[in-house]
Amino acid sequence: MAAPLTLLLIVAVTIRAVLFRSSLAELIPERVEVVSPLNAWKRVVEGLALLDLGVSPYAGDVFHETPLIIYFFHFVSDYAEIVFMMADALTAVALYLAVKDYNKTVFRKQKYALEAERYPLDCLELIRTPKEMYYIPLKVAMFYLLNPFTILSCVAKSTCGLNNAVIALFILCTVKGSSLMSAIFLALATYQSIYPLTLFAPALLYLLQRLYIPVNWQRSSFWLFTTQYTFMYLGSLCVMVCLSFFLLSSWDFLSSVYGFILSVPDLTPNIGLFWYFFAEMFEHFRLFFICVFQINVFFYTIPLSIKLKEHPIFLIFMQIAIISIFKSYPTVGDIALYMAFLPAWNHLYRFLRNIFLVSVVLLACSTLFPVLWHLWIYAGSANSNFYYAITLLFNVAQILLVSDYFYAYLRREHHLTHGLYLKRKDGSEATLVLK
Amino acid sequence: MGLLSDPNRRRALTKLLTRLNAPICGMPVDWLVKTMQSRGLEVFTQSFTRKLPFPDENKERYMVRGTNVYGILRAPRAPRTEALVLSAPCSEGNNNNQAVGLLLGLAQYFRSQIHWAKDIIFLVNEHDLIGMQAWLEGYHHTNTTGGDWSPLQGRGGSIQAALSLELSSDVITSLDLVLEGLNGQLPNLDLANLFYAFCQKIGVLCTIQGKLQRNDWDTTSGYSHAAQTMMLMVLKQASGRPWGDHGLFLRYHIEAASIRGINSFRQYKTDTTTIGRLLEGMYRKLNNLLERLHQSYFFYLMPSLSRFVSIGYYMPAFGLLAVILLLRALDLWVQLGASPPGTEDGPSSPGVLSILTPVVISHMTGVALYTLPILSQEMAVQHFPVSETEAVVLTAIAIYTAGLALPHNTHRLLQGEGTEEGWRVLKLVALLYLAVLLGCTALINFSLGFILALSLVPIAAFITPHTPKALSAAIMVLLSPGCTLLYCVFVFQELQETPVSLQDGWMLFLSVISQGILDHALYGSLVYPLLALLIYPCWLLLWNILFWK
């Protein structure tokens, strides 16, 4: 499988290189759907310039990246295009290897379950075959690399590509079972933007599963491993924060990066839900609504973890999706990451109910974003309401997509335990409803 | 009170007009500069050159060179933050020989008023739209179309509104208001209402689309007259070209309109002093604006000057057409889902490649239609006895017709397709693509989107490989974008009450195509790239489906 993957990487790099050299390379970094105040390349350049002048890069509220990123780019800013292309390639390869390993685990578990005859007889058509699962890793890599959202994000040189690479490496390390590396990459991802904190729970669940430690509050092995993992994670996070402090000799970055992400002072329109609300908010209520909106991102972790504790990789997918929808400054690069996982759930296709509506709405909204932006900002005939309507529709479609996959996954699990044709107590046909 | 109540000024104006009655060859830059300076304006010039992609029939040369002359009347006691523009294009021959005179007369009169709160810029631009584009780009420090112009030495602040004047005779019977701008953008309806209200107050006849409005709304003939006026506006808006020098202002969020004087066979004639009073009134009203005009509609259609159709009325019509496409797509989706998945995974489920091939080939043909005509005009002129303009247009038509031959070739490239599911998936993709494309077009330029929807939605909905081939092929060709353009040309001529014969109509059609290509290269009009790069490939996909084996 190395040859198709290499071919795919070459094609992806060629597309990006061609776009970098075309006239679109000036237009795309200006689009608000692709870059946000957190990850715009223009701001990185600004921060580097301030650093060269000896001023703190966080002076002036332009730069909101972490100090490790600024030092990284200090050395490679001349090769920025290559860095971003390599980040995309790294993400794709990491996802490829992770999904390949995950498929092996899934197939092994399925084999044991079949031998133990745990599946009812009529749901044999739901069993996954190696032939069907053979091309899935390649499709995952392809979905990530050839997704127009990823390509746009790469050509815009948005540091979202680097964040995605870190999260992909975290997923790879978790799937391979190396808890130290997984903790380090998770800490790096959390250090970059706070939201990957919610991925702590699924990673922990997966590693526990892999080590055959049951999730039982009374067992000491559970607490031992949890404490181990927590310490590794918090330790790496502390190391990174302290390293940042020593790099720049000040704690400025805490308020400029984390304060900025959490308190949302910049209300430039983007594809998220925050800007319009907070543009109309009275100052009196601002803190309350900030808390409500931010808690919304973290809130779904607990119920989802309880429901999906046997299926941590699907939980990772759902968490990444929830982060991309509800974070304070989303861009299309975040969306590309969770969409890359969709081929891994190909077997759920027959249970998906809304896929047509969701795809049409996502396609229409993606094309309407630039049209309504033009009508609002340049022609002056529309106003922010139109743009926000499209944003809302886009996010509703994403939420529908994620909840549809959730339904399909749970339904398949239900069928695998209770049989494909469900009967009520009196024998009539029943349908499954997600409550 | 008002302009020219002073007999001296009246005489000065008449002298100016008689002097300018002779046709102007090129622009008398020095004389204009001297005259404007003597009226107390700050005068500046801007020279520009523009390389045309192919020699236009009007210009007949590749390079257009010209000079714009503009004088700024500074507001006596206000900060120089806002400006108004009065422009008159200086065209060759008798085309617009009175407007500059009126402009200069107004400049002299305005100079003596003390109530101006905004700077007034009196602009005389050469080569109509090319000069106006150079001036606007220089004023706003942008260069989107690749022209070469000298930077402006004097500015007046942000422009709030602009009027462009076209007068060919010193007495007129009516004033025609032209609103349609580049890419179908329209000024705020308030500007049109303001102009009409003033015309009524002063007692000048005002027309739109060259047609007078009638008072018998409820009779059939009155209704059809209004419908014809509205259809003219739809056709003009759909063409995407600016129908007056004002059309280029709208892109910079400046409300602008063109006023054209018409001298027809009518008894009651209005003289220049009344037009002057009218313009003075307009400018005093615009002077009092505290903010840009934005309260009224930006999207409207006007069946007459006192009625308009707002977007809330005409958009549902388009919405219903788009819904047809979506319902058909939904139907295809259900059919695809209902077909038994028990068949082998392999040849039956059409691989992505067999759908991708027609899509890629259609789009490459579209790219060829967009780029080849201009690139290959040299070669065409060497081999065929045609001028460059004709070469470009005929190459475009040739590529368009060559696209019809495609389906018979793409099938040889696909290996082992041609299934029932294959064409259904392709049609689903084509329908969704067309629906999204038409939706986006209608949002930007409603008339263009609507006309394309009228011709493309029926064929998109009904074409399958199982419909009778000859009849469907004929209907598809008759409703293709190129033929729709041809019909529009004939209908436009009919509505303007100058019907043309087939021969003349065909020549007009060719000139429309060349003008479209030129507009795109010079001003950034989107109609030609839209049709060549997006609509035509979509139509080719449907053509491909019709001939699916």
Side-chain angles (χ1 to χ4, degrees):
Chain A
M1 291 290 281
L5 184 63
T6 325
L7 183 64
L8 180 65
L9 285 172
I10 292 175
V11 167
V13 168
T14 315
I15 296 178
R16 286 161 172 77
V18 164
L19 282 174
F20 269 126
R21 291 283 164 261
S22 74
S23 61
L24 287 176
E26 281 118 33
L27 284 174
I28 294 179
E30 309 286 322
R31 303 287 335 166
V32 290
E33 297 93 9
V34 185
V35 298
S36 74
L38 280 179
N39 51 30
W41 177 247
K42 225 169 38 165
R43 294 176 182 247
V44 173
V45 169
E46 181 85 24
L48 283 173
L50 285 172
L51 191 65
D52 284 338
L53 286 174
V55 181
S56 155
Y58 299 105
D61 195 34
V62 164
F63 183 71
H64 300 288
E65 300 273 2
T66 53
L68 284 181
I69 287 277
I70 198 177
Y71 268 93
F72 174 65
F73 278 113
H74 192 60
F75 299 116
V76 299
S77 69
D78 295 328
Y79 310 107
E81 298 173 358
I82 301 184
V83 166
F84 285 105
M85 286 200 277
M86 274 174 38
D88 270 357
L90 190 65
T91 316
V93 169
L95 287 175
Y96 175 87
L97 295 170
V99 174
K100 202 154 86 147
D101 219 32
Y102 172 62
N103 277 348
K104 283 204 196 103
T105 324
V106 162
F107 189 65
R108 204 179 336 129
K109 262 206 263 191
Q110 194 176 257
K111 205 164 64 129
Y112 292 155
L114 269 177
E115 284 168 7
E117 281 181 17
R118 260 195 273 147
Y119 294 143
L121 287 170
D122 55 358
C123 64
L124 287 174
E125 58 197 61
L126 293 177
I127 305 293
R128 305 176 66 185
T129 61
K131 195 174 76 146
E132 160 217 342
M133 289 164 61
Y134 186 65
Y135 279 111
I136 288 181
L138 187 65
K139 282 190 200 165
V140 167
M142 192 162 68
F143 257 56
Y144 185 73
L145 282 174
L146 299 180
N147 193 344
F149 289 156
T150 326
I151 297 177
L152 280 176
S153 193
C154 182
V155 174
K157 294 195 273 208
S158 150
T159 55
C160 188
L162 296 178
N163 291 350
N164 286 353
V166 170
I167 297 181
L169 285 168
F170 152 70
I171 296 176
L172 177 63
C173 296
T174 313
V175 168
K176 291 274 188 207
S178 144
S179 50
L180 177 65
M181 294 304 292
S182 152
I184 291 178
F185 279 118
L186 184 62
L188 192 58
T190 313
Y191 167 75
Q192 280 288 99
S193 62
I194 308 177
Y195 298 106
L197 177 63
T198 58
L199 295 174
F200 180 80
L204 186 61
L205 285 170
Y206 186 79
L207 291 167
L208 284 172
Q209 213 181 54
R210 205 180 143 82
L211 295 173
Y212 301 108
I213 302 174
V215 182
N216 193 340
W217 299 80
Q218 275 92 25
R219 302 283 286 257
S220 63
S221 52
F222 166 71
W223 285 112
L224 194 65
F225 186 78
T226 312
T227 340
Q228 249 184 335
Y229 191 67
T230 318
F231 268 117
M232 282 193 283
Y233 172 65
L234 287 177
S236 330
L237 198 56
C238 274
V239 165
M240 284 171 204
V241 169
C242 293
L243 186 64
S244 315
F245 171 67
F246 286 120
L247 276 176
L248 286 178
S249 326
S250 74
W251 292 108
D252 276 347
F253 73 97
L254 284 181
S255 65
S256 276
V257 181
Y258 305 118
F260 186 81
I261 296 177
L262 288 176
S263 68
V264 192
D266 186 326
L267 296 176
T268 323
N270 50 45
I271 57 175
L273 299 164
F274 280 65
W275 60 276
Y276 189 80
F277 267 105
F278 288 99
E280 312 188 336
M281 194 69 62
F282 288 115
E283 276 305 310
H284 192 60
F285 298 108
R286 200 187 149 84
L287 184 60
F288 171 65
F289 278 100
I290 290 269
C291 295
V292 167
F293 273 67
Q294 297 287 7
I295 288 174
N296 198 22
V297 186
F298 296 99
F299 184 73
Y300 297 103
T301 315
I302 302 178
L304 280 178
S305 309
I306 295 174
K307 186 79 186 171
L308 289 174
K309 65 173 181 279
E310 311 287 327
H311 317 286
I313 299 292
F314 191 75
L315 180 60
I316 289 184
F317 163 70
M318 293 225 37
Q319 290 288 24
I320 296 179
I322 287 173
I323 293 173
S324 335
I325 299 170
F326 293 113
K327 71 192 281 197
S328 43
Y329 294 101
T331 60
V332 293
D334 302 310
I335 297 172
L337 185 62
Y338 79 79
M339 280 201 172
F341 275 100
L342 296 181
W345 324 118
N346 251 347
H347 57 283
L348 299 174
Y349 184 74
R350 53 182 293 180
F351 298 119
L352 292 171
R353 291 178 302 179
N354 298 323
I355 200 73
F356 179 69
L357 181 67
V358 166
S359 346
V360 170
V361 172
L362 283 178
L363 173 71
C365 285
S366 314
T367 22
L368 281 175
F369 270 124
V371 170
L372 281 165
W373 179 260
H374 170 86
L375 278 179
W376 173 22
I377 302 287
Y378 295 110
S381 339
N383 55 34
S384 58
N385 299 319
F386 295 79
Y387 194 74
Y388 192 62
I390 301 298
T391 306
L392 269 181
L393 204 56
F394 190 68
N395 284 315
V396 163
Q398 284 185 72
I399 294 172
L400 199 57
L401 174 72
V402 166
S403 60
D404 211 20
Y405 268 94
F406 187 49
Y407 166 80
Y409 196 87
L410 290 180
R411 182 167 167 173
R412 179 172 173 271
E413 294 301 314
H414 185 92
H415 281 311
L416 284 176
T417 43
H418 293 108
L420 195 54
Y421 299 103
L422 307 165
K423 302 243 180 283
R424 274 190 250 251
K425 294 210 180 45
D426 54 3
S428 62
E429 194 170 328
T431 38
L432 204 56
V433 163
L434 186 69
K435 272 218 152 133
Chain B
M1 198 55 168
L3 181 68
L4 305 177
S5 52
D6 176 359
N8 293 328
R9 290 211 178 107
R10 222 181 300 143
R11 237 177 288 132
L13 182 63
T14 329
K15 218 189 316 182
L16 249 177
L17 290 179
T18 339
R19 184 184 173 145
L20 285 174
N21 219 355
I24 303 178
C25 311
M27 204 156 88
V29 174
D30 296 325
W31 177 83
L32 268 175
V33 168
K34 214 164 35 113
T35 326
M36 281 194 189
Q37 267 172 348
S38 69
R39 274 153 181 66
L41 307 177
E42 292 178 16
V43 189
F44 306 96
T45 58
Q46 179 201 29
S47 58
F48 60 91
T49 47
R50 197 65 219 263
K51 184 172 184 317
L52 301 176
F54 55 88
D56 180 28
E57 31 202 44
N58 302 333
K59 308 276 182 250
E60 286 182 15
R61 55 186 183 281
Y62 274 105
M63 195 76 100
V64 172
R65 244 181 219 106
T67 322
N68 295 328
V69 179
Y70 64 104
I72 307 181
L73 172 68
R74 298 287 182 194
R77 283 181 300 198
R80 298 170 177 187
T81 47
E82 292 173 351
L84 299 169
V85 174
L86 176 60
S87 82
C90 188
S91 332
E92 313 253 313
N94 273 339
N95 222 354
N96 196 13
N97 43 12
Q98 311 295 331
V100 176
L102 182 57
L103 187 124
L104 294 171
L106 279 172
Q108 183 169 19
Y109 179 67
F110 285 177
R111 186 75 178 82
S112 60
Q113 306 294 318
I114 55 165
H115 51 69
W116 296 111
K118 305 188 201 311
D119 293 346
I120 304 188
I121 304 178
F122 294 92
L123 169 68
V124 180
N125 52 321
E126 196 174 355
H127 297 301
D128 304 320
L129 289 166
I130 302 180
M132 184 59 88
Q133 176 76 9
W135 190 81
L136 280 171
E137 282 188 349
Y139 198 88
H140 291 99
H141 302 292
T142 64
N143 197 340
T144 49
T145 53
D148 188 24
W149 32 261
S150 62
L152 296 185
Q153 306 295 323
R155 280 183 96 247
S158 95
I159 303 177
Q160 303 290 296
L163 283 179
S164 173
L165 206 57
E166 290 175 36
L167 271 184
S168 312
S169 57
D170 51 352
V171 285
I172 57 161
T173 52
S174 61
L175 282 175
D176 194 36
L177 181 65
V178 183
L179 296 171
E180 299 83 12
L182 184 66
N183 286 329
Q185 208 177 344
L186 298 168
N188 201 313
L189 191 55
D190 271 340
L191 193 65
N193 292 341
L194 178 68
F195 185 74
Y196 184 52
F198 258 90
C199 281
Q200 282 186 314
K201 180 167 167 194
I202 304 244
V204 176
L205 268 183
C206 189
T207 62
I208 193 167
Q209 319 298 343
K211 289 188 190 290
L212 261 181
Q213 59 172 20
R214 299 161 56 143
N215 289 330
D216 50 348
W217 304 109
D218 34 8
T219 62
T220 324
S221 58
Y223 185 82
S224 82
H225 178 90
Q228 280 174 27
T229 317
M230 196 171 78
M231 272 312 296
L232 269 174
M233 181 166 182
V234 165
L235 287 171
K236 280 190 179 174
Q237 199 185 9
S239 70
R241 55 188 311 253
W243 286 84
D245 279 5
H246 72 287
L248 297 172
F249 279 96
L250 296 168
R251 201 161 38 177
Y252 297 92
H253 206 166
I254 301 169
E255 308 310 322
S258 275
I259 300 171
R260 191 172 291 157
I262 298 186
N263 191 7
S264 64
F265 304 105
R266 204 177 273 274
Q267 279 216 305
Y268 185 77
K269 300 223 189 252
T270 324
D271 64 344
T272 338
T273 52
T274 325
I275 307 176
R277 273 172 45 224
L278 177 69
L279 286 175
E280 182 210 355
M282 281 291 288
Y283 271 85
R284 287 192 69 158
K285 241 336 206 289
L286 291 173
N287 177 48
N288 294 337
L289 281 178
L290 291 173
E291 51 187 9
R292 286 181 199 258
L293 288 167
H294 70 278
Q295 302 284 0
S296 181
Y297 290 90
F298 285 100
F299 296 110
Y300 50 89
L301 293 173
M302 299 187 78
S304 79
L305 271 171
S306 49
R307 314 262 157 169
F308 74 97
V309 181
S310 85
I311 188 169
Y313 279 99
Y314 64 63
M315 209 43 127
F318 176 80
L320 290 176
L321 279 177
V323 155
I324 295 176
L325 292 176
L326 291 176
L327 287 177
R328 193 84 179 91
L330 188 62
D331 173 46
L332 277 171
W333 176 264
V334 167
Q335 279 177 19
L336 280 172
S339 68
T343 51
E344 260 298 301
D345 251 1
S348 128
S349 88
V352 178
L353 218 56
S354 77
I355 303 300
L356 213 56
T357 321
V359 171
V360 168
I361 293 185
S362 311
H363 281 90
M364 307 251 302
T365 320
V367 170
L369 182 60
Y370 177 68
T371 50
L372 277 186
I374 299 183
L375 287 180
S376 65
Q377 54 177 308
E378 290 279 334
M379 224 168 47
V381 167
Q382 274 169 8
H383 294 289
F384 301 101
V386 288
S387 72
E388 282 95 345
T389 321
E390 290 170 7
V392 168
V393 175
L394 293 174
T395 318
I397 296 184
I399 298 179
Y400 186 88
T401 342
L404 296 180
L406 274 181
H408 306 290
N409 297 331
T410 53
H411 271 275
R412 301 216 185 99
L413 290 177
L414 305 171
Q415 65 281 55
E417 54 341 288
T419 60
E420 279 299 306
E421 269 208 11
W423 71 261
R424 286 205 163 87
V425 177
L426 185 62
K427 185 162 180 199
L428 182 66
V429 168
L431 282 173
L432 290 176
Y433 181 40
L434 188 64
V436 169
L437 192 61
L438 287 177
C440 293
T441 312
L443 273 179
I444 296 189
N445 184 347
F446 168 76
S447 311
L448 181 63
F450 192 71
I451 292 179
L452 287 173
L454 272 182
S455 58
L456 289 175
V457 164
I459 49 180
F462 290 115
I463 289 294
T464 66
H466 304 302
T467 50
K469 289 262 197 299
L471 182 64
S472 316
I475 294 183
M476 271 203 82
V477 170
L478 284 178
L479 287 178
S480 71
C483 291
T484 317
L485 183 60
L486 185 63
Y487 305 147
C488 286
V489 168
F490 278 109
V491 169
F492 184 71
Q493 291 299 118
E494 272 291 330
L495 288 174
Q496 290 221 310
E497 287 157 23
T498 54
V500 288
S501 63
L502 274 175
Q503 186 72 7
D504 291 334
W506 176 255
M507 297 307 294
L508 203 56
F509 173 65
L510 295 180
S511 80
V512 163
I513 297 181
S514 82
Q515 199 59 41
I517 303 178
L518 210 56
D519 277 349
H520 168 65
L522 289 176
Y523 320 120
S525 155
L526 290 174
V527 175
Y528 181 66
L530 179 77
L531 286 178
L533 291 173
L534 295 172
I535 299 278
Y536 178 62
C538 206
W539 183 83
L540 274 184
L541 279 179
L542 294 171
W543 182 255
N544 214 332
I545 292 172
L546 177 62
F547 287 99
W548 190 271
K549 269 190 259 303

